[in-house]
Amino acid sequence: DIVLTQSPATLSVTPGESVSLSCRASQGISTSIHWYQQKSNESPRLLIKYASQSISGIPSRFSGSGSGTDFTLSINRVESEDFSVYYCQQSYSLPLTFGSGTKLEIK
Amino acid sequence: QVQLTESGPGLVHPSETLSLTCTVSGFSLTGYSVYWVRQPSGKGLEWMGRMRYNGDTSYNSALKSRLSISRDTSKNQVFLKMNSLQTDDTGTYYCTRGRGSTFDYWGQGVMVTVSS
């Protein structure tokens, strides 16, 4: 199984800061990585697909990059509504797997 | 618009079988795959299995011996059955629409507690 390691586990930031969240795969997965946001007591929401492809309706401050084993979700100027948990997910091979998440919290 | 709605019992006794239904609208089960993902309380996400648009199924090997996914296209429903439930199966169960193995729409989730 492909293991996705997300870091850091928790990131404390001030609104207005820009941040980068990391996801590292245990083997090369090309660009088969997707990012989700999950707010408290809500279902996850797809933010970015295939490492860097934008999703309709998602604010442009969210962007993704990377290929192979190292991937990054960037949030340009964090807003109050962005404080939640972020997960990466790989679709390179079955079983589909998720990272353990990065919690973005207010400093 | 696209909607997925999970339904099923909130409480299941240990060793019993969990049966969940995902009712979809706004898209066809013969055009899109439906996946089941679960989340233990306060923890991360786990892919359980999928019903592909062509009727094929795939399962997480960690659950394969206990899990079965089926569908009724005439009713726009996908079913999950998992037997021999234990307390660590407690959590929220989601169905989600798959598009190229990305999950673009999710149900609201159903909370399942395994307890005697």
Side-chain angles (χ1 to χ4, degrees), chain B residues 34-36 47-52 55-59 67-71 78-81:
Chain B
V34 170
Y35 295 69
W36 288 95
W47 174 70
M48 300 180 71
R50 70 179 177 189
M51 169 60 71
R52 295 191 73 201
D56 289 346
T57 54
S58 302
Y59 301 105
L67 186 60
S68 175
I69 298 174
S70 59
R71 71 179 182 179
V78 178
F79 309 105
L80 177 147
K81 287 190 188 300

Side-chain angles (χ1 to χ4, degrees), chain B residues 5-97:
Chain B
T5 305
E6 306 91 346
S7 58
L11 177 66
V12 178
H13 297 120
S15 80
E16 292 189 344
T17 296
L18 172 67
S19 294
L20 298 176
T21 298
C22 175
T23 303
V24 310
S25 61
F27 68 97
S28 170
L29 293 178
T30 58
Y32 289 86
S33 302
V34 170
Y35 295 69
W36 288 95
V37 174
R38 69 176 181 175
Q39 184 170 37
S41 300
K43 297 188 177 180
L45 300 163
E46 179 184 31
W47 174 70
M48 300 180 71
R50 70 179 177 189
M51 169 60 71
R52 295 191 73 201
Y53 61 92
N54 62 0
D56 289 346
T57 54
S58 302
Y59 301 105
N60 188 325
S61 56
L63 302 171
K64 188 174 184 178
S65 64
R66 301 196 288 141
L67 186 60
S68 175
I69 298 174
S70 59
R71 71 179 182 179
D72 184 335
T73 55
S74 67
K75 294 183 178 179
N76 294 319
Q77 293 180 324
V78 178
F79 309 105
L80 177 147
K81 287 190 188 300
M82 188 164 71
N83 59 31
S84 304
L85 253 63
Q86 300 301 321
T87 54
D88 59 3
D89 293 312
T90 292
T92 300
Y93 288 71
Y94 297 98
C95 61
T96 172
R97 189 179 82 164

Side-chain angles (χ1 to χ4, degrees), chain A residues 34 36 38 43-44 50 87 89, chain B residues 39 94 100-103 106-107:
Chain A
H34 320 290
Y36 300 85
Q38 187 177 31
S43 304
Y50 294 103
Y87 294 97
Q89 174 243 325
Chain B
Q39 184 170 37
Y94 297 98
S101 292
T102 65
F103 309 129
W106 295 67

